[in-house]
Amino acid sequence: MISNKRLVLAHFWLAFALFGVAVLLGEWQMFIRSPLSGWLRNADMYYRSVTAHGTVMGYVFPTLVAMGFGYFISEASLGQPLIGRRWAWTGYYMIIVGSIAAVVPVALGLDSVLYTFYPPMIGNVFYYLGVVLVVVGSWVWVALMGVNLYVWKRAHPGAPVPLAMFANVAGAYLWAWTAVGAALELLFQIIPVALGYATTINAGLSRVLFSWTLHAIVYFWLMPAYIAFYTIVPRAIGGRLYSDSMARISFALFLVFAMPIGIHHLFADPEVGSGFKVVHSIFTAMVAVPTLLTVFTICASVEIAARLRGGTGPFGWVKALPWKNPQMLALALSFVMLGFGGAGGLINMSYQLDSTIHNTQWVTGHFHLIFGGAIVIMYFAIAYDLWPHLTGRVIQDARLVRTQLWLWFIGMIVLTFPWHYAGLLGMPRRMAFYDYTAPGMFAEGVSVVMSVIGGALLVVSALIFIAVLVRNHWATRVEPETFTFSRAVHEPITLPWALNGLGLWVALMIALTITNYGYPIVQLMRMPEASVPPVFVGGKP
């Protein structure tokens, strides 16, 4: 029984409304960068748009989805009313205030620093304070998830923690720790300069601190999608989860391996020694372990569902899968995009191969294929599964839902594959305009036009998604069945303490982070020549 439906809906609706605006901004950016645009040549507007698009997509949208989904999971899996409801609303309003504080200076052109801040560029202080407020609001959610689990465990000594809540709290703790890097950068590096209290900024140290957040945040975005893989899809397609233990190990390994890897984004930065770059490259490869465990476990779970439906043979069971079920379709499309995005990531994480695609459109293509593709399509699936339980009304447009999912998949492929190609040709990213009349630019121009078409398909898909959710609120009222999560083939009766709590994994996460970041940070703090004058965006305050 969900007693805080308004709280969950408020988070989801704010997330999806901002997502819709950000998708429109993304398509506009693609259009004005293409040869199709001959009149909208305003670089300032472009970078304002990129900053707003990245800030919403990187910080606000996935955080709100994780929070709303987390509150739902807490009540649905633990079977107890949410503890700290007023604090939850407080965190929600803090995110609203923070978002407004951040977006106003961006709209005024005072903060075109992109969502990674890029020191020594310095924008208006209210943008940074707004981002900090968004993060602090989300930390309220982190605390509440920990408190709710603690209270439940005290009331159920020795009982297995429900898998969905185990994974949900793992995602919350991962977010709390990965956000520390950006928080340190903002509080001790950027904001003092933006306020005029410092005249130089240690750009190398700032970039290392942000790398603490930069890649692990991707796994925070992934957590809701992985929770859906394990705890929603098997049930929704009429099957069972192959292994509860393997799922817990996957989420625990994400905590351990997601953090000490971010310096692989700084392969071209001279401030960091090559030794730590190699170490971070190796740990980045280790993140593939929980991903491969997930692919194996979910494929096995899907096969169980197919054989329960009469599927036979080594591969004949694939035909027995419920392909018209939106959850099945979303899972399959997500896995395809995860596979392509993961393959591209192998180039990014390689200490040697990264130099061939560094700072090119390849990186943009890889990033969007993982987040915009594999992750966001599962956010859609989560919303479609939860909405009837939140509104008491059934989503009736199953064909329209499948169309929306297919459009998102096709649009993302058409958008990102040309970016990979253009990146191999050497096309730089973060550029407002290109001179397509220059020799050798024809192929890049064609790829950008294809990306415009892909972006248009994504806009249509996003509009359909929002329309389906809105229409649901006026659909026929029904009494939905009690929400349940997927049941494992062998449901746990008892669990070893390491798989029934997160203490060990959080300790390993912190220890590995300190080991892999401690020396580079201390080294850069003792390197005064790394400090440079700031470059103020929108004029010095």
Side-chain angles (χ1 to χ4, degrees):
M1 180 66 183
I2 307 300
S3 59
N4 285 290
K5 295 177 181 177
R6 287 184 59 194
L7 176 70
V8 178
L9 275 173
H11 282 77
F12 277 129
W13 265 125
L14 181 58
F16 294 137
L18 293 172
F19 160 78
V21 174
V23 169
L24 288 173
L25 289 176
E27 171 62 357
W28 179 78
Q29 291 155 27
M30 288 311 304
F31 177 71
I32 66 168
R33 296 176 79 195
S34 75
L36 302 174
S37 168
W39 54 280
L40 269 174
R41 294 196 173 274
N42 186 324
D44 177 54
M45 294 298 291
Y46 173 79
Y47 288 114
R48 292 187 202 186
S49 173
V50 172
T51 302
H53 174 83
T55 302
V56 168
M57 290 299 202
Y59 302 123
V60 185
F61 169 53
T63 303
L64 284 168
V65 170
M67 291 173 69
F69 193 29
Y71 290 133
F72 183 92
I73 290 172
S74 180
E75 290 202 332
S77 66
L78 300 182
Q80 66 182 24
L82 181 71
I83 299 168
R85 184 170 60 89
R86 290 184 178 178
W87 278 107
W89 280 109
T90 301
Y92 176 74
Y93 291 126
M94 288 172 73
I95 289 178
I96 292 178
V97 174
S99 299
I100 294 172
V103 79
V104 169
V106 171
L108 295 175
L110 303 176
D111 273 299
S112 298
V113 294
L114 312 187
Y115 97 106
T116 43
F117 309 145
Y118 285 110
M121 289 199 304
I122 299 294
N124 186 276
V125 70
F126 285 102
Y127 170 73
Y128 304 116
L129 293 176
V131 173
V132 169
L133 204 54
V134 169
V135 173
V136 173
S138 69
W139 281 350
V140 173
W141 165 72
V142 172
L144 290 179
M145 293 301 95
V147 168
N148 277 268
L149 179 59
Y150 174 74
V151 170
W152 184 89
K153 290 185 76 170
R154 283 190 60 185
H156 302 80
V161 173
L163 173 61
M165 191 61 181
F166 179 88
N168 179 39
V169 177
Y173 289 165
L174 175 61
W175 169 240
W177 187 238
T178 190
V180 167
L184 292 174
E185 181 193 14
L186 288 170
L187 294 176
F188 296 106
Q189 290 276 292
I190 293 179
I191 290 178
V193 177
L195 287 172
Y197 295 141
T199 55
T200 61
I201 184 168
N202 189 325
L205 177 59
S206 294
R207 288 174 61 79
V208 169
L209 289 173
F210 192 80
S211 76
W212 174 322
T213 299
L214 182 56
H215 203 85
I217 196 174
V218 175
Y219 298 99
F220 165 63
W221 299 338
L222 268 170
M223 281 294 189
Y226 273 62
I227 294 173
F229 289 158
Y230 283 108
T231 68
I232 289 180
V233 174
R235 180 262 298 159
I237 63 174
R240 289 288 191 100
L241 176 62
Y242 174 69
S243 171
D244 178 277
S245 297
M246 205 171 281
R248 292 172 194 267
I249 292 171
S250 297
F251 286 110
L253 291 182
F254 271 127
L255 276 184
V256 177
F257 291 128
M259 280 304 308
I261 64 176
I263 286 180
H264 79 254
H265 285 270
L266 307 179
F267 282 156
D269 284 35
E271 296 94 344
V272 181
S274 58
F276 275 96
K277 291 174 181 174
V278 172
V279 169
H280 280 243
S281 179
I282 293 170
F283 274 94
T284 306
M286 294 299 292
V287 177
V289 175
T291 299
L292 292 175
L293 277 178
T294 298
V295 171
F296 173 80
T297 306
I298 300 305
C299 287
S301 305
V302 166
E303 181 179 350
I304 290 170
R307 295 196 183 279
L308 288 173
R309 294 168 60 89
T312 59
F315 300 103
W317 55 269
V318 175
K319 292 188 297 185
L321 288 170
W323 290 106
K324 290 187 178 180
N325 185 316
Q327 298 298 324
M328 182 66 233
L329 182 61
L331 170 71
L333 299 180
S334 177
F335 268 24
V336 171
M337 290 186 283
L338 188 64
F340 283 122
L346 294 175
I347 308 298
N348 299 349
M349 56 149 270
S350 167
Y351 188 40
Q352 292 80 17
L353 294 177
D354 180 79
S355 60
T356 62
I357 48 85
H358 176 71
N359 249 346
T360 70
Q361 281 295 95
W362 173 285
V363 179
T364 316
H366 160 74
F367 172 75
H368 280 75
L369 201 50
I370 291 288
F371 175 63
I375 296 174
V376 169
I377 202 167
M378 290 310 297
Y379 288 0
F380 297 152
I382 291 168
Y384 287 140
D385 195 67
L386 265 56
W387 230 248
H389 298 275
L390 295 172
T391 64
R393 302 167 193 272
V394 175
I395 292 178
Q396 299 172 333
D397 307 312
R399 178 177 293 181
L400 192 60
V401 168
R402 291 195 296 273
T403 302
Q404 185 265 320
L405 295 173
W406 273 112
L407 274 176
W408 191 261
F409 171 75
I410 296 170
M412 193 56 68
I413 294 294
V414 176
L415 176 80
T416 57
F417 277 30
W419 279 348
H420 283 82
Y421 173 66
L424 290 176
L425 295 177
M427 188 178 206
R429 63 181 177 139
R430 306 191 192 103
M431 297 285 288
F433 307 112
Y434 303 97
D435 181 6
Y436 294 105
T437 63
M441 284 297 292
F442 177 77
E444 286 90 334
V446 173
S447 70
V448 176
V449 171
M450 291 178 65
S451 296
V452 174
I453 297 170
L457 293 175
L458 294 176
V459 169
V460 174
S461 176
L463 292 175
I464 294 174
F465 169 69
I466 293 173
V468 169
L469 296 188
V470 170
R471 285 183 61 185
N472 165 267
H473 285 266
W474 285 272
T476 305
R477 184 176 288 278
V478 295
E479 189 62 37
E481 298 178 357
T482 302
F483 185 89
T484 59
F485 294 98
S486 304
R487 296 175 60 189
V489 173
H490 301 289
E491 294 190 75
I493 299 174
T494 60
L495 285 168
W497 67 271
L499 296 182
N500 203 35
L502 294 159
L504 170 66
W505 312 108
V506 169
L508 286 173
M509 174 180 72
I510 294 173
L512 268 178
T513 307
I514 293 173
T515 302
N516 283 17
Y517 273 98
Y519 183 81
I521 289 174
V522 171
Q523 186 184 38
L524 281 163
M525 288 175 66
R526 302 176 63 182
M527 191 183 293
E529 61 268 31
S531 295
V532 295
V535 177
F536 291 98
V537 175
K540 188 174 182 179

